[in-house]
Amino acid sequence: MPAFSCAFPGCRRDLLVIVLVVFVGIGLPIEASAPAYQSHGTEGSHLTNITNTKKAFPVLAVNYEHVRKPFEIALWILLALLMKLGFHLIPRLSAVVPESCLLIVVGLLVGGLIKVIGEEPPVLDSQLFFLCLLPPIILDAGYFLPIRPFTENVGTILVFAVIGTLWNAFFMGGLLYALCQIESVGLSGVDLLACLLFGSIVSAVDPVAVLAVFEEIHINELVHILVFGESLLNDAVTVVLYNLFEEFSKVGTVTVLDVFLGVVCFFVVSLGGVLVGAIYGFLAAFTSRFTSHTRVIEPLFVFLYSYMAYLSSEMFHLSGIMALIACGVVMRPYVEANISHKSYTTIKYFLKMWSSVSETLIFIFLGVSTVAGPHAWNWTFVITTVILCLVSRVLGVIGLTFIINKFRIVKLTKKDQFIVAYGGLRGAIAFSLGYLLSNSHQMRNLFLTAIITVIFFTVFVQGMTIRPLVELLAVKKKKESKPSINEEIHTEFLDHLLTGVEGVCGHYGHYHWKEKLNRFNKTYVKRWLIAGENFKEPELIAFYRKMELKQAIMMVESGQLPSVLPSTISMQNIQPRAIPRVSKKREEEIRRILRANLQNNKQKVSSNKGIWLKLNVFSADSFPTVHFEQPSPPSTPDAVSLEEEVPKRPSLKADIEGPRGNASDNHQGELDYQRLARCLSDPGPNKDKEDDDPFMSC
């Protein structure tokens, strides 16, 4: 302290002043000190104001309104995660009750508690659902969509999604209108357009409910992709029917032109959503080319471009669900070729986490919204709606499958048809569409009550009984293990074989167009969307190169190997003996023979007829020798015939004795060249005659 005082004279006085100011500031709150500075009266009144407004400093204050909204959101998410965690900690409960059922029950309890304490329970707002909760679930489903099963069954999926949804909507709407004309029901004021509007709302299969139930029962891949694909693609039909009938109910009359415009609107909504999603998918893939130096932001591009595709589609009243699916399907192969493995892991688990949280919140809010109301109950209308949902679904699946099986190679069995019909679950999309109805609509409350009843019936009754029915009917389950490399190779081989068969027969079928698309993708699209030279080689080779480089770097950093490290395969083939230097003339001869007799690497990759070779270089009579495991005869037009290249000698013995005598250097080089040619062309030495033939030294 003395040294400090000498260096800074008067610092003690300044320190005391600072401490005094701090204590005065603690004693005077900001609100109390402000009027004192604004006072322009006498000095006495100034002191009086300070004395009257002086308060103790608020050590602890509570301002809940300041953080109310984010605090409640975080509390809801925490509640959802705790419920999900508790559900999986009780195996007996999770084996009987689907997770979605338990979450709806939790929502009912929470809504009841909120109503008991006198507060108004929150309702699942349509804007919150469509803009915040639904996109993560659809993006997760679209990004990780199994492309091969989906494309192989896309015709069947479209028939169920388009024709099946239209059948359900008009079948239910027409019969409900007939029901409302009965005087004893008490709904004679309901017109046909209102019933068709209600039928379009409850006719569509919900992807959230299907995912929640089907992922737990592990049904086989065919049935899963049929029901889940239908739930994804029927969004365009539902949106168009909903908008059409809502507009027609306001106008009151429908003309032929309106019907024609409705058909055109369906194609615009569906194909427009796919186009918007594909554009954003290509933009995301192209952007990922340039993220090699900023790996941290790679996952953000995937999320933001996908969400922008969804919002852009909703802005133009297109199908946001189809836009998200198209965006995820288009961007995935190119993005994964550009981003790092850590970024891929981040994308995968963040999407799974995000979709799981959204799904949990949706079912909890369904329970809370049920308690919140308002409801208008009509036993006849509600029960008839539930029955018609089941009947229309069963009749639609049976009738459409009868037609579809005439064109399918793998027929849909009776068991498959039953699971497809029984798995048509309804969920939050139907509730949100019903909630979007204007308050002035006379049937809004009754429609919401019927929709909630249908959701509860499909989720609780059908969702809880579908697992025992699958076990009882012995329906084929999903294969848990991933396909082996052998299976993938044979699958690719069969695809090439069937493509060739279609080409020979002159039939341009599925495999022909698939091959055309793959060729166009490799030739043009990958060149622009994949960074570096990755588009020129197969994924397996590229992955092997990455693994080999990573292993080499780790070994060099650990000090096990020198910094100049050859390939791991070449290291295995190098013999411990010293390698002699080869003259440039000899090296050029070797290159010429190899170039003439071996196929081009690109031809090997494209035709899948490559030759596996292994070069072993070691010391033997002062020249390198080459070993081939499976040599093949020349097949290229410019291949060299060894009989033409090597001059015929009258006697093999003369060739053997030539180098040992007084032959010239020219003759020695010719003999070495002939010996090398024999090594390259012959399949290998015979062990019994190896000692008799000096040319078989390799």
Side-chain angles (χ1 to χ4, degrees), residues 156 161 227 230 289 389 433 492 544 578 599 668:
T156 306
V227 181
E230 176 193 356
R289 286 193 61 183
C389 277
L433 290 175
E492 292 292 331
Y544 170 75
Q599 291 181 344
Q668 175 68 32

Side-chain angles (χ1 to χ4, degrees), residues 2 41 83-84 133 202 219 273 347 375 385 415 553 659 678:
M83 292 299 103
K84 200 176 186 71
L133 297 180
V202 297
I219 199 68
I347 293 172
H375 300 293
T385 301
K415 296 179 181 179
I553 293 174
R678 289 281 307 268

Side-chain angles (χ1 to χ4, degrees), residues 630-646:
Q630 292 182 358
S632 63
S635 58
T636 56
D638 54 347
V640 179
S641 175
L642 292 176
E643 296 182 357
E644 296 176 355
E645 288 292 319
V646 182

Side-chain angles (χ1 to χ4, degrees), residues 241-439:
L241 290 178
Y242 179 84
N243 293 329
L244 281 177
F245 292 136
E246 189 179 23
E247 291 294 329
F248 293 161
S249 61
K250 295 177 182 178
V251 177
T253 57
V254 182
T255 63
V256 178
L257 179 61
D258 294 332
V259 176
F260 174 75
L261 292 178
V263 175
V264 174
C265 182
F266 163 72
F267 288 102
V268 171
V269 169
S270 57
L271 298 180
V274 173
L275 180 62
V276 171
I279 291 174
Y280 276 98
F282 284 124
L283 286 176
F286 184 75
T287 307
S288 65
R289 286 193 61 183
F290 310 101
T291 58
S292 58
H293 301 290
T294 52
R295 296 293 190 185
V296 179
I297 63 175
E298 286 176 338
L300 289 177
F301 285 117
V302 174
F303 305 142
L304 292 178
Y305 275 115
S306 303
Y307 194 53
M308 289 295 294
Y310 182 82
L311 294 180
S312 300
S313 299
E314 292 293 326
M315 180 172 58
F316 292 101
H317 296 283
L318 303 176
S319 176
I321 291 180
M322 298 192 72
L324 268 180
I325 296 169
C327 184
V329 169
V330 168
M331 77 164 69
R332 184 185 178 184
Y334 310 110
V335 168
E336 290 184 356
N338 293 327
I339 64 177
S340 63
H341 182 69
K342 292 182 179 179
S343 298
Y344 167 76
T345 305
T346 303
I347 293 172
K348 178 181 177 181
Y349 286 101
F350 189 82
L351 281 179
K352 295 297 181 184
M353 177 203 68
W354 199 6
S355 63
S356 178
V357 172
S358 298
E359 178 184 312
T360 305
L361 287 174
I362 286 172
F363 286 113
I364 290 180
F365 270 116
L366 273 177
V368 175
S369 302
T370 304
V371 178
H375 300 293
W377 189 263
N378 186 301
W379 280 99
T380 306
F381 185 84
V382 172
I383 294 177
T384 305
T385 301
V386 175
I387 295 174
L388 288 179
C389 277
L390 288 174
V391 173
S392 64
R393 179 69 180 175
V394 171
L395 293 178
V397 169
I398 293 176
L400 293 176
T401 306
F402 177 76
I403 301 173
I404 290 170
N405 277 342
K406 295 182 180 297
F407 304 95
R408 285 183 61 92
I409 298 176
V410 180
K411 311 295 183 183
L412 295 176
T413 63
K414 300 294 184 182
K415 296 179 181 179
D416 295 336
Q417 296 178 40
F418 175 78
I419 298 300
V420 170
Y422 201 73
L425 309 178
R426 274 66 168 182
I429 289 183
F431 177 82
S432 298
L433 290 175
Y435 194 79
L436 281 176
L437 294 174
S438 61
N439 295 326

Side-chain angles (χ1 to χ4, degrees), residues 181 191 325 439 463 533 621 641:
Q181 301 309 307
D191 57 355
I325 296 169
N439 295 326
E533 301 293 327
D621 297 336
S641 175

